[in-house]
Amino acid sequence: MKIAIVGCGNMGMAFAKSFLQYDLVKKEDLLLIEKSANRCESLKAEKTGVVVDTISSRISEVDLIILSVKPQDFNSLQDALREAIQPQQMILSIMAGIPIATIQEKLNHRLVIRAMPNTPAMLGMGITGFTAAKEIDLTNLRKVENLINATGRSIFLEDEALLDAVTALSGSGPAYFYYLVKAMVEAGKQMGFDESVASLLVKQTMLGAFHLINTADKSLDELIQAVASKGGTTEAALKRFEDGELADTLIAGIKAAQTRATELSKA
């Protein structure tokens, strides 16, 4: 395929580099559109693809246009995009909060897919929820799904409204994880460890725990109980978490993120 990426920040380039890594597109068939002059020079030096700073007729030559700009920047680009887009081209939007119907209306174009990736896509370990306009046929949907899977894994959602929940759960999810890691490292420092030692203990614990979740034939409750012996240290910590309603607070926070995502989609 020939692909154009409009907006070459971290997420846009995560897609670009994954496509190249898995030989899904050739460098000469990858058009990178970036308005920042400094960023353009950096991209040219990396030789990741064909780098330009404006939307032009060149974009009409590709099969797929990926919109990875900030949502607030979309309005300033829509006129140029609308003029250049061809009827057979597909649009893949990874802009947060902008519904398919809005993109279709502003670009006067029906073939739109909307996705919500997360930052581990930069390592090829992301998870992306995506959905599509009814005008996208199964063959083209599978082609785009294959591209998305180059950044990790994906899940197709029939109901576009669930993308707000994806945004809250996995899109924002890495920040929740980092927040917990930060708190655990701080606890280590308060107990007397240097930050580097506390950080190593916590990060390796998280890594090992993740692999146990993925490989052990046990539920999360069973894994917790395997660590939390009766009357022991882990049980003391878990009781304090429960007294402080930590789980309820986390759930409420994630739901607040979903509510905000829905508000943004209606703005």
Side-chain angles (χ1 to χ4, degrees):
M1 295 181 74
K2 293 183 178 181
I3 299 172
I5 299 178
V6 183
C8 299
N10 289 335
M11 200 57 68
M13 291 311 296
F15 275 70
K17 291 175 181 178
S18 294
F19 299 161
L20 293 171
Q21 179 183 350
Y22 291 101
D23 201 26
L24 297 173
V25 63
K26 298 176 182 178
K27 287 186 178 182
E28 60 267 28
D29 292 332
L30 182 60
L31 180 64
L32 304 176
I33 304 171
E34 173 56 53
K35 66 178 182 179
S36 166
N38 289 338
R39 184 71 175 144
C40 269
E41 290 305 312
S42 176
L43 292 171
K44 288 177 181 177
E46 292 176 11
K47 298 181 179 179
T48 304
V50 179
V51 182
V52 297
D53 60 2
T54 57
I55 295 169
S56 68
S57 59
R58 297 184 71 168
I59 205 171
S60 65
E61 301 170 6
V62 305
D63 303 298
L64 175 70
I65 300 169
I66 299 177
L67 302 180
S68 60
V69 298
K70 295 176 181 178
Q72 58 267 33
D73 292 337
F74 179 55
N75 285 341
S76 65
L77 299 172
Q78 66 185 46
D79 290 342
L81 282 168
R82 188 169 55 247
E83 291 180 11
I85 290 173
Q86 301 301 302
Q88 78 282 1
Q89 290 177 303
M90 289 184 290
I91 303 291
L92 170 61
S93 169
I94 59 175
M95 299 183 296
I98 303 183
I100 286 175
T102 300
I103 298 169
Q104 289 177 320
E105 178 185 352
K106 292 191 173 184
L107 298 184
N108 191 27
H109 191 77
R110 307 309 298 173
L111 303 180
V112 178
I113 298 169
R114 182 183 167 201
M116 175 48 62
N118 62 6
T119 53
M122 293 186 285
L123 299 176
M125 298 181 69
I127 180 70
T128 299
F130 72 107
T131 191
K134 64 181 185 298
E135 290 86 355
I136 299 287
D137 62 40
L138 184 59
T139 298
N140 282 323
L141 187 63
R142 290 288 178 250
K143 288 179 181 178
V144 173
E145 181 181 30
N146 190 46
L147 292 169
I148 292 172
N149 284 342
T151 66
R153 302 180 67 177
S154 66
I155 180 169
F156 178 76
L157 302 168
E158 293 282 353
D159 183 0
E160 184 182 1
L162 285 174
L163 276 185
D164 293 336
V166 170
T167 301
L169 194 60
S170 58
S172 300
Y176 315 150
F177 180 78
Y178 307 146
Y179 188 89
L180 290 174
V181 170
K182 182 180 176 182
M184 289 177 69
V185 171
E186 180 58 31
K189 289 165 62 179
Q190 291 184 19
M191 291 187 293
F193 292 113
D194 290 338
E195 183 169 356
S196 60
V197 175
S199 180
L200 175 60
L201 286 167
V202 174
K203 288 191 288 187
Q204 187 61 34
T205 297
M206 289 294 194
L207 180 62
F210 161 75
H211 284 293
L212 276 175
I213 290 173
N214 251 13
T215 59
D217 188 22
K218 293 181 179 180
S219 68
L220 290 173
D221 283 335
E222 289 172 327
L223 289 171
I224 291 170
Q225 290 306 312
V227 183
S229 57
K230 189 72 174 177
T233 57
T234 307
E235 187 179 66
L238 293 174
K239 185 177 186 308
R240 184 62 184 267
F241 295 160
E242 290 173 2
D243 290 345
E245 299 182 341
L246 177 58
D248 290 340
T249 300
L250 286 170
I251 292 168
I254 294 168
K255 287 183 175 178
Q258 179 190 24
T259 299
R260 182 58 180 154
T262 301
E263 289 172 353
L264 290 172
S265 70
K266 294 178 179 178

